[in-house]
Amino acid sequence: MKTIKVGVLGVGYLGRFHAQKYAAMKNVELVGVADTDSEQAHKVGEECSCRPFIDYKQLLPLVDAVSVVVPTSLHHQVTKDCLNQSVDVMVEKPFTTTLEQADELIELASKKKAVLQVGHLERFNPAVLAMQPLLNHPLFIEAHRISVFKDRGTDVDVVLDLMIHDIDIIFSIVDSPLKTIHTVGTPVMTQLTDIANARLIFENGCTANVTVSRISMDNMRRMRIFQPGRYLSVDFGKKEVMSIQLKKEESAPFPLPDVKKYGFREQDALELELTDFVTNVRQRSKPMVSGIEGRRALDIALQVVEQISVNQEQVQHLLTPENNICL
């Protein structure tokens, strides 16, 4: 089997994990890692037994594919440079900062016949993969994704940081165009929105209520899906799925709940995602989350951000530092 030569561009908190996963893969050679922080590049390079680079452009001629794990504002330019060199790309979410940038990269990848995959990690969560065969016609979806405050990731607001995960999953399971969006959100600990809610109503009648927060006291990543004959509860953090159906029993005068639980604690979502990317590179196959799916999630997320921004303007006088609290 051909050895795929890969690199990682940006080896901060998340990029370092990308490098570790690639370094452990069979038939994959981690050629190098690149980061503008020379000390960090050398540290991860030594840790993963590969060459460190300060300028990522020097690494591109040496590899078949890369993970782009730089700040979101740099996704477009870095990914564009890679595609222009016919290097396949796995770029972290959010895909880009604008739809125009996303369109340009999708077109360029098509022109270069390059693999372009967007890192929506939750698609590879074993619980999400396990729920797929249990779905038929979701009618109501409720998602909560809340976390304690961390300085990391605050270069984008909570919609692009957290909600975009659930948006991507919801649009992958609801086969209908979006009809309306209703939102609310506010900054609390940063200058950007830290807590938000979006109600997505689809043309087929399905409604999704999505709540995200990065200023909470606890961590929670859950989704509940209600559909004819079945209720599903998905815990992304614990990698668990619970399915409840009503079944008729001859000995009972009314249907009784049939509860089944599925657990997948040992599987690593990032490893599954990067393994899938390498497979797509090797087989020249279309990713489950290509640039098109990444753009779709970005489109909805930006609409949510814009609507929240308009709503915030109406209550701007309340958003003063002395009023900030941690929810």
Side-chain angles (χ1 to χ4, degrees):
M1 184 179 294
K2 175 188 175 183
T3 296
I4 303 297
K5 297 182 178 182
V6 302
V8 179
L9 313 186
V11 284
Y13 176 80
L14 182 56
R16 180 187 175 204
F17 293 136
H18 278 241
Q20 291 172 349
K21 300 301 179 185
Y22 285 132
M25 286 184 190
K26 293 182 179 180
N27 301 308
V28 172
E29 179 188 352
L30 178 63
V31 175
V33 296
D35 201 288
T36 54
D37 183 335
S38 175
E39 183 178 348
Q40 182 68 6
H42 280 80
K43 176 182 176 181
V44 177
E46 181 177 356
E47 178 181 87
C48 297
S49 301
C50 66
R51 292 176 59 187
F53 293 81
I54 309 304
D55 183 356
Y56 68 88
K57 293 181 181 179
Q58 295 178 352
L59 175 57
L60 299 184
L62 308 178
V63 297
D64 303 306
V66 295
S67 279
V68 174
V69 204
V70 298
T72 303
S73 60
L74 300 176
H75 281 187
H76 172 254
Q77 186 59 56
V78 174
T79 301
K80 181 178 178 179
D81 290 339
C82 296
L83 294 175
N84 275 324
Q85 294 294 318
S86 297
V87 173
D88 297 324
V89 177
M90 209 297 295
V91 55
E92 271 300 333
K93 64 83 193 166
F95 184 14
T96 54
T97 56
T98 70
L99 295 180
E100 291 76 17
Q101 291 177 345
D103 289 335
E104 181 182 2
L105 295 180
I106 292 170
E107 182 179 355
L108 181 58
S110 177
K111 178 181 177 182
K112 293 288 186 176
K113 294 182 171 53
V115 173
L116 177 58
Q117 185 164 328
V118 181
H120 282 277
L121 185 62
E122 290 288 30
R123 287 282 205 107
F124 294 87
N125 189 307
V128 175
L129 297 175
M131 82 174 182
Q132 298 293 336
L134 305 177
L135 297 168
N136 51 52
H137 184 72
L139 296 174
F140 181 71
I141 302 170
E142 189 168 39
H144 287 85
R145 189 174 295 266
I146 63 178
S147 65
V148 297
F149 183 76
K150 301 174 183 176
D151 290 334
R152 178 174 54 85
T154 56
D155 60 319
V156 295
D157 71 20
V158 73
V159 176
L160 293 167
D161 183 24
L162 299 181
M163 187 183 287
I164 197 168
H165 282 296
D166 295 309
I167 289 172
D168 174 60
I169 293 171
I170 289 167
F171 274 79
S172 74
I173 66 177
V174 178
D175 186 20
S176 175
L178 184 65
K179 185 177 180 181
T180 58
I181 301 176
H182 302 282
T183 67
V184 63
T186 186
V188 178
M189 301 294 289
T190 73
Q191 297 300 309
L192 301 171
T193 300
D194 294 314
I195 184 169
N197 173 269
R199 191 172 183 84
L200 310 174
I201 302 176
F202 295 84
E203 290 184 2
N204 69 350
C206 179
T207 297
N209 192 51
V210 187
T211 300
V212 291
S213 169
R214 58 185 180 193
I215 51 167
S216 299
M217 299 298 292
D218 299 298
N219 293 318
M220 178 194 298
R221 295 152 55 201
R222 294 178 184 170
M223 182 176 289
R224 298 191 297 166
I225 303 169
F226 300 86
Q227 59 188 17
R230 192 192 297 266
Y231 155 62
L232 298 173
S233 177
V234 183
D235 190 316
F236 302 110
K238 294 181 178 180
K239 299 180 175 64
E240 294 178 347
V241 177
M242 180 174 68
S243 169
I244 301 176
Q245 289 180 286
L246 290 179
K247 287 194 173 182
K248 292 183 179 181
E249 298 287 346
E250 292 183 2
S251 59
F254 47 79
L256 297 176
D258 178 30
V259 181
K260 295 180 180 179
K261 292 184 178 181
Y262 311 85
F264 311 88
R265 297 177 186 274
E266 301 305 318
Q267 293 177 279
D268 187 310
L270 181 59
E271 183 178 338
L272 291 174
E273 179 182 54
L274 297 182
T275 299
D276 177 72
F277 173 56
V278 170
T279 299
N280 292 328
V281 170
R282 178 173 281 116
Q283 299 181 355
R284 311 314 298 163
S285 51
K286 180 181 181 295
M288 177 170 63
V289 189
S290 69
I292 293 173
E293 287 75 26
R295 183 198 186 281
R296 178 179 64 188
L298 177 65
D299 182 15
I300 303 304
L302 290 177
Q303 290 185 53
V304 172
V305 170
E306 175 61 25
Q307 193 174 118
I308 288 175
S309 177
V310 172
N311 294 338
Q312 285 178 358
E313 291 178 1
Q314 301 175 11
V315 293
Q316 194 65 38
H317 65 286
L318 297 176
L319 305 179
T320 57
E322 58 268 22
N323 289 334
N324 282 354
I325 59 173
C326 184
L327 302 179

